[in-house]
Amino acid sequence: MVDPRIMCRNHLLGEHSEIHLFVWNIDAGHSVRGYIDKGLLEIHNLYDRHEDLARELRRRGYRHNSELDAKWKMAKKEGSIDRQKSLRALIGRCAKCRERYKRFAVTRNVV
Ligand SMILES: [Zn+2]
Ligand SMILES: [Zn+2]
């Protein structure tokens, strides 16, 4: 749930794959309760988040042809991610994301 523009290639592609994996798992009837309880998943934002990541992937010239089913726009509200905590964790453990964040923060106000 970090601004996709500050994410390094690996993290951008990684989170994008995770979304498809979550959707696949939920459709298959598998429980994602653990992720919701740990504050790692917002069911109601899967669609919009996927759109944001896909847009950034295309902007960087990567091919993207894995759209989410439109039914995810209507997903029930469930789960909550602390965006500030996510940002701190990401730039705390990834030098590339940290570098992008620093460069980005010079010109924009990143939340
Ligand atoms: Zn996709
Ligand atoms: Zn990174």
Side-chain angles (χ1 to χ4, degrees):
M1 279 302 194
V2 168
D3 189 321
R5 290 170 295 187
I6 74 146
M7 295 169 82
C8 73
R9 180 178 190 276
N10 278 351
H11 278 116
L12 188 64
L13 292 172
E15 191 182 335
H16 172 257
S17 308
E18 273 171 21
I19 289 185
H20 281 284
L21 205 59
F22 275 132
V23 163
W24 185 88
N25 271 297
I26 296 167
D27 276 340
H30 301 152
S31 173
V32 291
R33 171 56 50 197
Y35 294 94
I36 292 171
D37 289 346
K38 282 183 205 143
L40 297 171
L41 180 60
E42 289 182 357
I43 303 289
H44 51 291
N45 273 328
L46 279 169
Y47 190 87
D48 285 348
R49 182 62 177 169
H50 175 265
E51 289 299 287
D52 288 349
L53 294 171
R55 192 180 310 117
E56 181 65 12
L57 285 170
R58 283 190 293 260
R59 199 183 68 76
R60 294 191 198 180
Y62 304 129
R63 247 194 343 212
H64 177 266
N65 42 27
S66 51
E67 301 306 330
L68 285 201
D69 192 292
K71 72 176 178 184
W72 291 99
K73 283 184 198 174
M74 322 288 225
K76 61 181 171 178
K77 189 167 184 343
E78 197 171 12
S80 168
I81 297 172
D82 182 335
R83 283 144 177 81
Q84 279 299 329
K85 201 173 132 194
S86 301
L87 176 62
R88 282 196 305 273
L90 186 68
I91 63 179
R93 64 166 188 256
C94 178
K96 284 186 182 151
C97 285
R98 187 161 58 242
E99 201 44 53
R100 294 183 67 92
Y101 173 72
K102 276 193 213 147
R103 259 188 287 147
F104 194 72
V106 174
T107 48
R108 299 259 174 104
N109 202 11
V110 181
V111 175

